Amino acid sequence: MRIIIIYLIFLCSLNSQNINVNNDFNYNKLRSSILLGELTTNYSLNTRPLNLNENLENLFKNQYKLIYKNKKENIKIKSLGIDYFIEFNSHHPYNRNNGTMIPNRGYQHIVSPGIFLEIGPLSIQFKPEHHFSENKKFDTFWEGHYPIIWAHRYRLWNKIDMPERFGNNNHNKTTFGQSSVRLNWKNISLGVSSENIWWGPSIRNSIMMSNHAQGFNHITFNSIEPFKTKIGNFEWQFITGRLESSGFKPPGSDRTYAGTNIYIPKINQYLETDDWRYLQAIILSYSPKWIDGLSLGLIRWTQMYSALIKGKYAWLEKGKRTYFPLFTNIFRRNNSNIDYEIQTNEALGLFMKWLWRDSKAEFYLEFHHNDSKINFRDLLLDSDHSRAATIGIQKIFNIKKSNYLFSWEWTQMEQTAGRLLRNASSWYEHYMVFDGYTNKGEVLGSSIGPGSNSHYFSLQKIKDKSSVGFAFEVIDHDNDFYYEAFASANDFRRYWKDLNLHLKYDVKLKNLTLSSRAIYIKSLNYQWELEDYLEPYYHRGRDVNNFHFNIKLTYFGNW
């Protein structure tokens, strides 16, 4: 009987090799192939990394090469190739969706070889990352700001672990990177992983979960491929993870205002510094059977200091600790767990994506809240309170037998006008979880960060094995801080805004993929720097030029 059970498990096991979230070439190729109608897949692309099934293996031919397979085909060894990712910034960090990399001036790289082993239901993906960063000195928050402006800046920095510079020395470390160990049965996977995750349909600014920060250790329970039912397809991922502090402070941490140090150490309620955080999160994506190309979904996450989950806060009266805080009350009314909820940082929201195959276009939307509502009526009346949103569209045009891909994405992280009556604070910060929604000093969501907004327009010519194009991007840096710091002076001159021109080129060669970007960045009023007493009153602040380059090479070998 035992032999029969083992045989059935081996027979029903499914390959659970994932496509690295940080491999821009493959995900860009996948998305454009779907728009062109060259690839039909049940994947919604709302939860990544994706499993490399047979359909996708045909798209990425000769990339993930088989090294060994036994006669029964229940033992396989594959090469994942070698990644070599490079970034360079000339003046100050331009830091977007780059995983283990940090905000850096100068040169940095990631080198990441990988191998995949499958033994029946067991899969082991070993893909460590070696990261080196020059971490050169650059101009951080302007020394010339008045003490009260520094105090306003620390109202954010004291509620989030988001240092501008990661110490004074270069960085040279090796992590587990995109590694995982999983047990797979039919269409279900359970395992432990350090991989980066991307949730939601957005391309540049995923609000709830992205690859902007270093991947964190987590337990994952997820669908391998979409579950087919009578009403449509379902995909999900449920994770429980451990988030870590960066160990670095923001600039000016020794400053004082009104006789008090403006920096407050990151301590939990047990007075422990740099306590790790317990994260639990879920995404559920549904593609209805009756509407082709449509997918709808929900994302929720909660996090708290480990001291709370360990039961160290013995003085709390209302409620009890739970290892599954994700499934506690969504609304605050009549919440018997209120003492524990105050110590918890959480967010909840919805998303949708609609692929119009005949038009070779797609539309997507994310709408999320980072604060619990009192009840459903509160949600209806004040739906803008604490919300962030992303809207995007992609469309392929065929002009003179050539295909051109137009993309537009708009993201607003800035608080809405409702903050005048009901301040929700900036996204990703929290008044009890002082490290905020971060890992190793970078936010886990939108790469533009708290209080910021983004407009992005792109046009590229796409071919079978290459694409070339340009993009224009406008970034408003942390308007939440700007309004708080300068509203009393009615100073409308010093918004910090970046105007970015992108050139990009992707190509697939025989055993190599290359994804490259060159970006010219014009920062207006960099770090909100502007001399108050110059004439005329409306004069320019400090405008700086920055050049950013990144190249992502993946060599898949010839073995």
Side-chain angles (χ1 to χ4, degrees), residues 18 51 53 71-72 154 171 187 208 226 280 298 311 348 350 402 419 429 521-522:
N18 288 335
N51 173 250
N53 61 18
K71 292 182 178 179
K72 295 181 179 180
Y154 264 86
H171 290 237
N187 211 11
M208 298 291 265
Q280 200 161 80
L298 173 147
L348 172 68
L350 305 172
S402 296
R419 71 185 183 280
E429 69 170 52
I521 300 157
K522 184 70 172 182

Side-chain angles (χ1 to χ4, degrees), residues 76-267:
K76 298 177 184 177
I77 302 176
K78 290 183 179 181
S79 165
L80 302 180
I82 301 173
D83 294 331
Y84 183 39
F85 299 163
I86 306 167
E87 275 196 8
F88 174 82
N89 289 294
S90 65
H91 183 268
H92 61 270
Y94 177 88
N95 186 50
R96 299 286 186 272
N97 303 328
N98 53 8
T100 303
M101 288 184 174
I102 63 171
N104 170 76
R105 175 177 168 257
Y107 167 86
Q108 65 178 327
H109 74 226
I110 288 176
V111 180
S112 177
I115 194 165
F116 176 79
L117 169 65
E118 183 180 42
I119 307 175
L122 174 68
S123 66
I124 300 174
Q125 181 169 293
F126 184 58
K127 191 168 177 54
E129 294 179 339
H130 175 263
H131 173 239
F132 171 81
S133 168
E134 284 188 291
N135 194 30
K136 289 183 176 180
K137 185 178 180 180
F138 61 92
D139 294 336
T140 55
F141 194 64
W142 184 35
E143 292 282 341
H145 282 304
Y146 298 125
I148 190 174
I149 302 301
W150 275 90
H152 279 300
R153 193 63 183 143
Y154 264 86
R155 289 185 183 178
L156 169 72
W157 283 340
N158 284 331
K159 294 182 284 187
I160 192 171
D161 179 27
M162 199 173 67
E164 291 195 285
R165 188 177 178 212
F166 283 41
N168 300 319
N169 302 317
N170 61 33
H171 290 237
N172 197 354
K173 64 180 181 181
T174 300
T175 70
F176 279 108
Q178 311 305 311
S179 301
S180 66
V181 179
R182 298 169 178 267
L183 287 172
N184 314 295
W185 183 73
K186 291 188 176 180
N187 211 11
I188 299 173
S189 180
L190 174 66
V192 293
S193 172
S194 59
E195 294 171 286
N196 279 113
I197 300 170
W198 186 287
W199 284 355
S202 297
I203 296 174
R204 292 189 61 80
N205 284 293
S206 177
I207 294 171
M208 298 291 265
M209 185 75 74
S210 74
N211 62 335
H212 180 62
Q214 178 180 321
F216 54 90
N217 296 332
H218 60 275
I219 300 170
T220 176
F221 176 59
N222 59 274
S223 56
I224 298 175
E225 294 184 12
F227 262 80
K228 295 181 180 180
T229 71
K230 293 182 179 180
I231 61 172
N233 295 340
F234 289 88
E235 300 161 89
W236 85 83
Q237 185 174 21
F238 171 71
I239 63 169
T240 300
R242 174 177 176 138
L243 304 179
E244 304 280 359
S245 300
S246 68
F248 302 107
K249 297 178 182 178
S253 58
D254 58 345
R255 286 176 172 261
T256 60
Y257 176 69
T260 304
N261 196 315
I262 61 175
Y263 171 71
I264 300 174
K266 302 287 190 290
I267 59 174

Side-chain angles (χ1 to χ4, degrees), residues 166-394:
F166 283 41
N168 300 319
N169 302 317
N170 61 33
H171 290 237
N172 197 354
K173 64 180 181 181
T174 300
T175 70
F176 279 108
Q178 311 305 311
S179 301
S180 66
V181 179
R182 298 169 178 267
L183 287 172
N184 314 295
W185 183 73
K186 291 188 176 180
N187 211 11
I188 299 173
S189 180
L190 174 66
V192 293
S193 172
S194 59
E195 294 171 286
N196 279 113
I197 300 170
W198 186 287
W199 284 355
S202 297
I203 296 174
R204 292 189 61 80
N205 284 293
S206 177
I207 294 171
M208 298 291 265
M209 185 75 74
S210 74
N211 62 335
H212 180 62
Q214 178 180 321
F216 54 90
N217 296 332
H218 60 275
I219 300 170
T220 176
F221 176 59
N222 59 274
S223 56
I224 298 175
E225 294 184 12
F227 262 80
K228 295 181 180 180
T229 71
K230 293 182 179 180
I231 61 172
N233 295 340
F234 289 88
E235 300 161 89
W236 85 83
Q237 185 174 21
F238 171 71
I239 63 169
T240 300
R242 174 177 176 138
L243 304 179
E244 304 280 359
S245 300
S246 68
F248 302 107
K249 297 178 182 178
S253 58
D254 58 345
R255 286 176 172 261
T256 60
Y257 176 69
T260 304
N261 196 315
I262 61 175
Y263 171 71
I264 300 174
K266 302 287 190 290
I267 59 174
N268 61 25
Q269 299 301 303
Y270 208 64
L271 303 183
E272 297 170 325
T273 59
D274 294 324
D275 187 15
W276 65 271
R277 281 153 290 136
Y278 183 89
L279 171 71
Q280 200 161 80
I282 191 169
I283 179 173
L284 177 65
S285 180
Y286 167 56
S287 301
K289 178 180 179 180
W290 306 277
I291 306 177
D292 183 42
L294 178 66
S295 58
L296 308 167
L298 173 147
I299 301 174
R300 190 187 188 199
W301 56 256
T302 63
Q303 64 152 347
M304 63 202 69
Y305 283 121
S306 71
L308 181 65
I309 207 74
K310 292 174 182 176
K312 290 185 177 181
Y313 298 176
W315 59 88
L316 297 183
E317 296 179 354
K318 292 186 178 181
K320 59 181 180 180
R321 67 188 178 103
T322 172
Y323 289 105
F324 295 95
L326 193 69
F327 304 106
T328 56
N329 291 0
I330 294 177
F331 298 114
R332 288 200 301 262
R333 184 180 181 184
N334 300 324
N335 190 351
S336 60
N337 212 39
I338 187 66
D339 285 352
Y340 280 81
E341 187 189 89
I342 289 172
Q343 305 288 337
T344 301
N345 182 203
E346 59 185 312
L348 172 68
L350 305 172
F351 63 84
M352 64 88 69
K353 187 177 77 170
W354 200 347
L355 171 65
W356 302 316
R357 301 183 197 275
D358 292 343
S359 301
K360 297 183 179 179
E362 64 177 356
F363 169 81
Y364 56 88
L365 167 69
E366 293 189 28
F367 191 91
H368 305 289
H369 290 99
N370 77 333
D371 191 17
S372 295
K373 295 296 183 180
I374 296 173
N375 52 31
F376 189 68
R377 181 181 177 84
D378 182 28
L379 177 63
L380 292 177
L381 288 177
D382 197 6
S383 59
D384 269 359
H385 169 70
S386 79
R387 70 108 167 112
T390 291
I391 301 173
I393 191 168
Q394 290 205 115

